[in-house]
Amino acid sequence: MMQSKTFTHRLKFSAAMVALMAPSLSYAQTQSASSEDFSEVDMQEWDQRDLITVYSTTNPMPVLDYPGQVTVIDRELIDTIIPSTLSDILRDVPGVEFSGGPRRTGEAPAIRGLSGENILILLDGARQSFISAHDGRFFIDPDLISSAEIVRGPASALYGSGAVGGVLALETVDADDLLQDDQTWGVRTRLGYQSVNEEYLASLTAFTRQGDFDAIANIGIRQSGDIKLGSGADLPSDDDIQNALVKLGYQFTDDLRLEGSWQRFTNTALEPNNGQGTLGTGNSLLDRDVEKDVQSDTFRAQLQYTPDTPWVDTTIIAYQTTSSVDEFDATIPRTTLRDIETTGVSARNASRFEFGQTNVIFTVGADLYKDEQVGTDSETNDNLRGGVPNGEAEFTGLFAQAEMTVQSPLGLPGDLIVIPGVRYDRFESSSDSAAQQNEDEATSPRFAISYGPNEWFRIFWSYAEGFRAPSINELFLNGVHFSLPHPQLFNPMMGQFVFVNNNFIPNPNLKPEETQTFEVGVSGDFADLFSQGDRLKGKISYFESDIDDLINLSVDVTFDPTCFIGPTFFPCSGGTTESANLEKAEINGVEAEFRYDSERLFAQAQFSSVDGENSETGSDIGTLTPDRFSMNAAWKFPDQNLSLGSRLQYARDFERREAAMGGGFNIVEERDSYTVVDLYTTWRPNLIDGLRIDLGVDNVFDEDYERVFEGVSEPGRNYKVSLAWQFGM
């Protein structure tokens, strides 16, 4: 039944793509610019012509030429959002969703329904491996981000394990991002405030370029309190954040550049042990807050060697990221710690050459990295923390990829881009708590094509296989997951607080997840439509992923029968938690993204739909989202350096089904549709050089809504302001 459904989807969508393509072939007159053509254009002019993706292929390529879906968010758009968290920046990206509730310490991303270990996060090319059941994954202040690139769909052929859902790559600011004209140094200071959690922001950035040397240094703070939700309730949350960035670069020769950086993020938060928790039991013992100390340091060194030969374009990155969350519960007292250290080296070289009518970029690379985890608990006899096994995982990967641009393929007009690639990975995981290791190897091939019969239309198709190694936590889970009130002996009215444990069960025999993803789509690029110099760009695609051995965390809260038998009501446990492989699953969806820009008007629209199900039972799986449409439009006044804009996001109602024991399905989750409207303005006064003022109102109509099922609504109406002043010489 599932194979028939898959075949029907593919047949219908492929037919639609051919129908769209037919008229374009008839009227083809000019060839579209290839990635090789762009390599001959000055980089600044290139950026003005199109948004460029790097992480989708590891080489610069116009977004519309790439045979897949990728979104690039630049610094200008980030500043207009006045972001407080990463989810503010990525809220409207098709196929991207955040679970964990409104607290920044609990936000976890999902791409195309896949989350956790299936999403690779990169910070200036360094892997960010911190993952916790109830803590967030981002340890960087939005004020430091120069650009965000979101590659959607499996990228295992380039990045190996952890990139099945996609890649979320963040780039921090450097001196060239801020220096203007012929300046050699500058200073930027920024102040900000938002009302929904009474958050204050202050940052100071200094930057310089002196000959072959460039540097940037930043320090910043954020302080915020409880979050006012759309429901009218206050969500307990108290953050005291400090962040810093130092980045140095030196151009030794025209061919050789060395860069080093250090980025730190710290947060002292007062909130529940579960950063995604919503409280609300009414009991002071269960609803208590803990003091949570978060600290993350990323050290990175990058060497670039680009001699005057097309055969060598080499980049080597060495990095180490240490992230820890230390929680202190004064009511017990108890201290728990989760610490993850990732050390790695990645290297790549791109060679460029011509073969007849074909321009080729051939890239080879290697990755070596190790994740080490330590978990401690001051209240256990062995000082070990339940659910956080001490262990390590080592990965070694080799990859090769060709980007071939064929002019006039088989005599047809336009060009054809063909991208074959393959990666081999070997990995092994071990833990102090288990004698048995988990080790395996995987090969991840990919093949993609993009054909442009003319300069304004392209059609693309891709097939990729991905894999995801089971994590240390999934393999070697042990200890207590959480405590539940005893079904008979827990009675707060009589002062009886008796709890029983739900315990983790390790599963060192977990298999890696494997996916096969098919995607087909079209893109368009139209100039001078309504006025001279305007431009409309867009891309739409359908994808379908078949997943084998999906790793699923199963929580069983069934109490032992002895819990109900007196007079002792013991032994008693509150069930078990175990990671296990689901044999087969499927996720499919549609994504669309359009952008219009002219001298006076900017507009952007996005649509996404994600569905997933267990192929055997039909139950919904994954971090699924309702059909979602968003739009961002701004009217520009160039003479006044002013823009006025509005953002809108609409989502249909949503329900999640789960197979019932006796047949049929139960509705286990429901969410109403919602519409959220934001307003914003950006002004650079002509009278004060270097001053930028951003104002905004999020959720203007104070909508009470839920993006994902967390038992808590999203923030209510939020007034925001940011003042930035930059000067230099």
Side-chain angles (χ1 to χ4, degrees):
M1 180 176 179
M2 183 57 62
Q3 292 178 349
S4 176
K5 176 182 175 182
T6 301
F7 178 78
T8 302
H9 278 314
R10 292 177 178 173
L11 183 62
K12 288 181 178 179
F13 205 82
S14 297
M17 293 300 102
V18 172
L20 285 170
M21 182 177 175
S24 302
L25 291 171
S26 301
Y27 293 101
Q29 296 178 352
T30 59
Q31 297 178 356
S32 65
S34 69
S35 57
E36 182 67 18
D37 295 330
F38 276 102
S39 67
E40 300 174 0
V41 180
D42 179 83
M43 182 61 72
Q44 183 176 359
E45 295 178 0
W46 185 3
D47 288 344
Q48 292 171 354
R49 293 176 63 173
D50 210 337
L51 289 174
I52 304 302
T53 172
V54 176
Y55 285 93
S56 58
T57 64
T58 74
N59 296 299
M61 172 181 281
V63 167
L64 291 181
D65 289 357
Y66 172 65
Q69 289 283 19
V70 58
T71 297
V72 178
I73 303 175
D74 59 22
R75 178 77 180 191
E76 177 63 26
L77 184 57
I78 292 173
D79 283 343
T80 64
I81 296 171
I82 319 177
S84 172
T85 65
L86 264 293
S87 64
D88 292 337
I89 297 174
L90 306 177
R91 186 193 75 174
D92 294 330
V93 176
V96 175
E97 190 55 278
F98 280 79
S99 60
R103 293 189 189 92
R104 63 167 52 83
T105 54
E107 289 187 335
I111 301 178
R112 292 186 172 181
L114 297 173
S115 60
E117 307 278 357
N118 285 305
I119 306 301
L120 174 61
I121 297 176
L122 298 174
L123 179 59
D124 289 333
R127 287 176 178 261
Q128 307 293 294
S129 297
F130 185 92
I131 293 182
S132 166
H134 302 297
D135 292 313
R137 295 193 60 187
F138 295 108
F139 303 116
I140 183 172
D141 192 277
D143 193 46
L144 299 180
I145 297 175
S146 171
S147 66
E149 190 167 325
I150 305 92
V151 182
R152 303 191 290 282
S156 295
L158 287 175
Y159 298 101
S161 180
V164 172
V167 178
L168 204 166
L170 306 173
E171 291 286 329
T172 58
V173 293
D174 57 30
D176 287 340
D177 291 325
L178 299 176
L179 286 170
Q180 300 175 0
D181 301 327
D182 296 327
Q183 288 182 345
T184 58
W185 65 270
V187 175
R188 179 179 185 265
T189 182
R190 182 174 176 230
L191 300 174
Y193 171 79
Q194 68 173 25
S195 64
V196 76
N197 59 349
E198 297 185 350
E199 177 176 288
Y200 295 89
L201 159 71
S203 70
L204 179 66
T205 308
F207 42 93
T208 185
R209 175 176 287 282
Q210 303 289 335
D212 294 324
F213 173 77
D214 61 273
I216 186 170
N218 169 278
I219 56 172
I221 60 171
R222 284 183 191 265
Q223 293 182 334
S224 61
D226 295 348
I227 303 171
K228 177 71 70 174
L229 305 178
S231 63
D234 288 337
L235 183 69
S237 182
D238 189 351
D239 293 329
D240 187 353
I241 296 172
Q242 300 176 355
N243 59 82
L245 172 69
V246 176
K247 186 183 290 187
L248 309 174
Y250 191 80
Q251 193 77 34
F252 288 92
T253 68
D254 292 341
D255 304 335
L256 184 65
R257 173 178 169 82
L258 179 63
E259 182 178 288
S261 65
W262 166 63
Q263 188 264 329
R264 164 167 284 194
F265 177 93
T266 65
N267 182 11
T268 301
L270 188 64
E271 61 186 28
N273 169 271
N274 177 357
Q276 300 172 339
T278 59
L279 305 182
T281 68
N283 180 269
S284 59
L285 182 64
L286 297 178
D287 292 350
R288 62 181 179 264
D289 288 336
V290 301
E291 183 176 309
K292 187 176 294 186
D293 290 322
V294 179
Q295 179 171 313
S296 180
D297 290 278
T298 296
F299 296 91
R300 170 183 160 275
Q302 176 174 305
L303 180 71
Q304 290 178 291
Y305 182 53
T306 55
D308 188 19
T309 170
W311 295 98
V312 180
D313 181 353
T314 301
T315 301
I316 301 173
I317 300 176
Y319 60 90
Q320 183 175 79
T321 297
T322 303
S323 302
S324 63
V325 177
D326 188 331
E327 301 167 3
F328 176 67
D329 187 343
T331 62
I332 297 180
R334 177 192 185 192
T335 300
T336 58
L337 172 69
R338 180 194 296 265
D339 182 284
I340 297 178
E341 181 179 271
T342 301
T343 305
V345 177
S346 64
R348 57 166 289 279
N349 181 74
S351 300
R352 294 170 171 82
F353 55 91
E354 295 183 4
F355 183 75
Q357 292 289 100
T358 303
N359 296 320
V360 180
I361 303 176
F362 182 67
T363 306
V364 295
D367 284 313
L368 295 90
Y369 64 96
K370 176 193 287 189
D371 292 332
E372 297 178 89
Q373 176 174 275
V374 175
T376 62
D377 187 338
S378 63
E379 287 298 291
T380 59
N381 294 331
D382 53 9
N383 204 38
L384 298 179
R385 181 176 177 180
V388 188
N390 294 340
E392 63 181 41
E394 296 183 5
F395 295 81
T396 303
L398 303 171
F399 71 88
Q401 174 186 265
E403 300 168 52
M404 300 176 288
T405 303
V406 185
Q407 302 296 332
S408 302
L410 301 177
L412 295 173
D415 67 61
L416 177 71
I417 298 175
V418 183
I419 305 179
V422 65
R423 175 171 171 131
Y424 169 80
D425 283 272
R426 179 165 183 79
F427 55 91
E428 61 179 44
S429 300
S430 60
S431 172
D432 298 342
S433 63
Q436 181 179 351
Q437 289 187 344
N438 182 282
E439 58 184 51
D440 210 332
E441 57 187 23
T443 302
S444 306
R446 181 191 183 219
F447 184 79
I449 58 175
S450 172
Y451 174 58
N454 52 47
E455 63 182 4
W456 52 267
F457 178 84
R458 298 195 76 88
I459 184 170
F460 64 88
W461 176 92
S462 71
Y463 172 81
E465 295 183 10
F467 87 99
R468 200 268 283 179
S471 69
I472 298 171
N473 291 337
E474 293 166 330
L475 291 165
F476 307 114
L477 288 167
N478 56 32
V480 177
H481 184 193
F482 54 84
S483 296
L484 292 169
H486 193 289
Q488 296 293 328
L489 302 180
F490 184 84
N491 190 338
M493 299 298 294
M494 299 182 63
Q496 296 177 341
F497 299 98
V498 181
F499 294 88
V500 292
N501 296 330
N502 180 284
N503 294 310
F504 288 112
I505 297 179
N507 186 356
N509 296 313
L510 280 173
K511 301 176 184 177
E513 290 182 2
E514 298 180 353
T515 65
Q516 304 85 42
T517 298
F518 152 89
E519 185 167 7
V520 61
V522 296
S523 64
D525 186 356
F526 308 93
D528 302 326
L529 283 178
F530 308 109
S531 63
Q532 184 67 31
D534 72 351
R535 191 173 181 188
L536 173 65
K537 301 178 291 184
K539 184 180 281 191
I540 181 171
S541 71
Y542 169 81
F543 69 89
E544 191 170 286
S545 295
D546 296 320
I547 309 173
D548 297 326
D549 297 317
L550 178 70
I551 300 175
N552 180 61
L553 184 67
S554 176
V555 182
D556 181 2
V557 292
T558 303
F559 289 98
D560 293 336
T562 52
C563 298
F564 303 91
I565 301 176
T568 62
F569 301 102
F570 274 96
C572 179
S573 71
T576 59
T577 298
E578 180 182 15
S579 293
N581 292 111
L582 297 180
E583 187 172 347
K584 288 187 177 294
E586 178 187 297
I587 294 179
N588 59 71
V590 175
E591 294 174 354
E593 195 163 16
F594 301 92
R595 179 180 179 131
Y596 175 80
D597 206 355
S598 69
E599 183 182 9
R600 292 285 183 179
L601 178 65
F602 165 81
Q604 192 172 33
Q606 296 109 336
F607 172 82
S608 64
S609 177
V610 182
D611 292 306
E613 65 177 45
N614 184 321
S615 301
E616 294 185 339
T617 65
S619 296
D620 294 333
I621 62 165
T623 305
L624 303 183
T625 60
D627 294 349
R628 196 179 70 197
F629 169 81
S630 61
M631 187 169 183
N632 178 9
W635 191 256
K636 297 182 286 187
F637 302 88
D639 294 339
Q640 289 77 35
N641 290 327
L642 175 70
S643 66
L644 302 173
S646 177
R647 287 182 292 268
L648 176 146
Q649 186 180 91
Y650 167 77
R652 296 182 60 184
D653 53 8
F654 175 81
E655 63 180 28
R656 180 189 292 273
R657 306 182 311 158
E658 189 173 279
M661 292 292 293
F665 296 92
N666 295 324
I667 305 300
V668 295
E669 179 186 333
E670 290 183 281
R671 297 195 300 275
D672 294 332
S673 64
Y674 63 83
T675 302
V676 179
V677 178
D678 307 332
L679 301 175
Y680 65 91
T681 183
T682 296
W683 184 34
R684 297 180 176 90
N686 292 322
L687 295 177
I688 306 177
D689 187 36
L691 178 64
R692 174 181 175 132
I693 303 173
D694 288 281
L695 303 173
V697 184
D698 291 348
N699 196 0
V700 173
F701 301 108
D702 208 18
E703 179 86 351
D704 182 12
Y705 69 103
E706 294 181 60
R707 285 175 57 121
V708 295
F709 183 72
E710 298 293 348
V712 60
S713 62
E714 292 296 308
R717 185 182 298 112
N718 183 22
Y719 299 96
K720 304 195 293 187
V721 60
S722 170
L723 303 176
W725 183 44
Q726 179 173 323
F727 62 91
M729 294 182 60

